[in-house]
Amino acid sequence: MLHKWKIFTLAAALIIQPQFAFAQDDNIERRVNKLEKEVKAVQRKVFPQGSNRFFEPEIAPEIANPVNRQSQNTENAAVSDLLGRVTALEEQLATMTGQIEQQQFQMRNVETKLAKLDAALKSQQTSTLAAETDTATVAETPASQPATTSASSTRRDAVAAIEIPDTGNAFDDSYNYGFRLWDKKFYPEAQVQLQETIDTYPNHSRVSFARNLLGRAWLDDNKPTTAAKIFYDNYKDDPRGGRAPDSLYFLGAALASMKEFSKACEAYDQLESAYPEIAAARLANRLSSGRSAAKCS
């Protein structure tokens, strides 16, 4: 009787043990599949160009052996492998989650600074325009009219002497004419021409060039407040534009000329952060000089 009981107990153990192992494997496999899907979803959002950046490609399924030939060592190795995959995936998911949170914090910080800068520029622009209006009113005296008329006539002749491009490309002709006016230091005329170019071709692929040059025409005309607003809008509204990095640099230059040195340094910091390659190459010399003039740390 005792012998039969031992046989029954052994048979029960042999039946239950594989079922427990299979249940454990199935539970871990579900965890692995769930985590791998989450990691891939996060990875596609943060690194859409690098599908294999943080984890290896799909692991090929092992060749199944008949159940009745699997040894306990093989089962233990399979469980250990799954646990290793779970641990690795959990660590990778935690790392990427931290990176996303850090990027979001940095973006919120930049947006806050830009919003404050925009408000300050609008406020200062209003004050400057009022002061310019008062100055112009005082300057309009009868005694100054003859000299002004003579100077205006000479200026009109000089502007008329500048050749208007006619290549058949409407945008380029309009922009290049504005550039020629600016290059000859006819800044008010350049401002009018470039603004007309922007208004006529607001969606042109190179309108960023026209906006940036318009800002420079105002800056070179000793109107840094208006220039700063134009540079800021060109960067904010079209950050991928061809002259968005340049507008950030000239924004810093305009702010520095207004004695807003800390804000100028913020503009230079944003240039280095948003366009590191351009800041380190094409604009490197200008950026270095600008930082030095604004006494950036």
Side-chain angles (χ1 to χ4, degrees):
M1 183 68 179
L2 181 59
H3 179 67
K4 291 182 178 180
W5 175 254
K6 289 181 178 179
I7 293 174
F8 175 77
T9 302
L10 178 61
L14 291 173
I15 293 171
I16 294 171
Q17 184 176 357
Q19 291 177 348
F20 175 76
F22 294 152
Q24 187 180 38
D25 288 352
D26 185 59
N27 181 51
I28 295 174
E29 186 67 34
R30 283 198 300 270
R31 289 175 62 197
V32 172
N33 292 336
K34 181 175 181 294
L35 282 168
E36 287 179 336
K37 290 179 181 178
E38 291 178 357
V39 170
K40 288 178 181 178
V42 175
Q43 186 184 31
R44 283 193 298 271
K45 180 179 179 181
V46 183
F47 304 105
Q49 303 301 324
S51 59
N52 298 327
R53 183 169 180 176
F54 278 93
F55 53 83
E56 297 294 327
E58 293 283 350
I59 299 175
E62 298 179 357
I63 300 176
N65 294 322
V67 176
N68 59 356
R69 295 182 179 272
Q70 288 182 345
S71 65
Q72 186 64 37
N73 290 336
T74 303
E75 293 173 359
N76 290 339
V79 171
S80 298
D81 178 66
L82 288 172
L83 289 173
R85 290 169 59 194
V86 170
T87 301
L89 285 168
E90 288 174 339
E91 292 175 353
Q92 292 161 1
L93 185 59
T95 299
M96 286 189 288
T97 300
Q99 290 174 338
I100 292 173
E101 292 175 349
Q102 185 178 12
Q103 290 176 355
Q104 290 175 340
F105 173 77
Q106 291 175 344
M107 287 301 299
R108 286 195 298 270
N109 192 28
V110 169
E111 289 173 356
T112 300
K113 289 182 179 180
L114 290 177
K116 291 180 179 178
L117 180 60
D118 189 21
L121 288 174
K122 288 179 179 178
S123 176
Q124 189 152 359
Q125 185 180 27
T126 301
S127 301
T128 302
L129 289 175
E132 290 173 355
T133 301
D134 293 340
T135 302
T137 302
V138 172
E140 291 177 359
T141 61
S144 65
Q145 288 180 358
T148 301
T149 302
S150 177
S152 299
S153 177
T154 302
R155 187 180 186 88
R156 281 197 302 270
D157 293 341
V159 170
I162 297 177
E163 182 181 1
I164 300 176
D166 185 15
T167 64
N169 186 317
F171 174 86
D172 284 352
D173 289 345
S174 182
Y175 169 76
N176 288 331
Y177 182 50
F179 176 86
R180 293 179 181 183
L181 291 168
W182 168 79
D183 188 49
K184 295 298 183 180
K185 297 181 171 48
F186 293 120
Y187 300 129
E189 291 82 358
Q191 294 160 13
V192 173
Q193 178 62 33
L194 290 167
Q195 187 63 60
E196 181 181 339
T197 303
I198 295 166
D199 293 340
T200 306
Y201 309 99
N203 299 318
H204 195 277
S205 60
R206 295 179 66 243
V207 72
S208 175
F209 288 74
R211 291 195 186 108
N212 184 71
L213 188 58
L214 175 62
R216 296 189 65 179
W218 281 100
L219 181 60
D220 293 338
D221 197 24
N222 297 317
K223 305 292 192 304
T225 303
T226 301
K229 184 65 171 62
I230 294 170
F231 290 133
Y232 172 73
D233 287 342
N234 192 37
Y235 164 69
K236 182 186 68 173
D237 298 339
D238 190 12
R240 296 181 180 274
R243 284 294 180 264
D246 303 72
S247 287
L248 270 179
Y249 164 74
F250 285 112
L251 171 60
L255 290 168
S257 70
M258 296 156 59
K259 309 301 181 184
E260 298 284 353
F261 296 120
S262 63
K263 292 177 181 177
C265 293
E266 289 182 10
Y268 294 142
D269 289 342
Q270 182 61 14
L271 170 58
E272 289 186 325
S273 175
Y275 310 99
E277 294 181 358
I278 296 176
R282 180 166 63 83
L283 295 178
N285 292 335
R286 281 181 168 177
L287 184 57
S288 177
S289 299
R291 281 191 168 280
S292 178
K295 301 176 183 179
C296 302
S297 56

